[in-house]
Amino acid sequence: MRSVWMIVSGLATVVAIGGAVYYFFPKQPVEPVVSEASSMPQQPSTGSRVLVVPAGNPLLTADAAQLSRWVSLYPIRCGEIVFEKADANAKNYSFCIAEIRRRVATATGQQLSRDEVLDPRVRVHWRDVMGAK
């Protein structure tokens, strides 16, 4: 009976050590071997993500989905306040600009200045994309 417990405990130890090695040392992605004669470009690995930020103001090239994430609609309609009314004395005007800057920085890693958010081209782009009046 003692030998059965020794085998079971030994097997449990091997499984525990194997699980720890598997958990703490993840397998590295294998890159495919590409011959020099191959005309196929090498695809990026799917295990890592690369953030590609276009040069310039990302608000100028944003699509409707990006603008809806970056320019708050609830609880404050920042798009109306900043881009439609464009009244610097409006309630929450400064808050909305700060919120747009924060959201763009979080999404793209690019810090925008207040002037970049208030750029007239951004206002025109926002109106075109979002279908404002």
Side-chain angles (χ1 to χ4, degrees):
M1 187 64 147
R2 183 175 178 197
S3 63
V4 172
W5 284 112
M6 292 294 291
I7 293 171
V8 169
S9 64
L11 184 61
T13 303
V14 169
V15 169
I17 291 172
V21 168
Y22 180 77
Y23 179 76
F24 289 114
F25 299 106
K27 153 177 101 164
Q28 297 296 323
V30 177
E31 296 293 327
V33 177
V34 179
S35 65
E36 293 178 22
S38 175
S39 63
M40 297 283 293
Q42 184 176 1
Q43 296 295 323
S45 65
T46 57
S48 63
R49 295 182 182 210
V50 177
L51 179 65
V52 177
V53 179
N57 189 341
L59 289 172
L60 292 173
T61 58
D63 60 9
Q66 290 171 323
L67 285 175
S68 66
R69 284 192 309 266
W70 298 344
V71 181
S72 159
L73 294 175
Y74 180 81
I76 301 168
R77 295 180 160 273
C78 287
E80 268 181 34
I81 294 170
V82 175
F83 301 123
E84 284 186 27
K85 295 177 183 173
D87 180 14
N89 296 324
K91 185 178 179 182
N92 296 321
Y93 186 77
S94 295
F95 169 79
C96 285
I97 293 172
E99 185 67 14
I100 292 168
R101 291 178 64 202
R102 184 188 67 78
R103 289 180 181 203
V104 169
T106 300
T108 65
Q110 184 175 358
Q111 294 287 336
L112 294 180
S113 69
R114 182 181 175 94
D115 292 334
E116 287 175 313
V117 173
L118 296 175
D119 186 347
R121 296 175 301 165
V122 173
R123 182 179 182 189
V124 169
H125 179 69
W126 185 83
R127 287 180 169 190
D128 289 343
V129 172
M130 300 306 284
K133 298 174 186 174

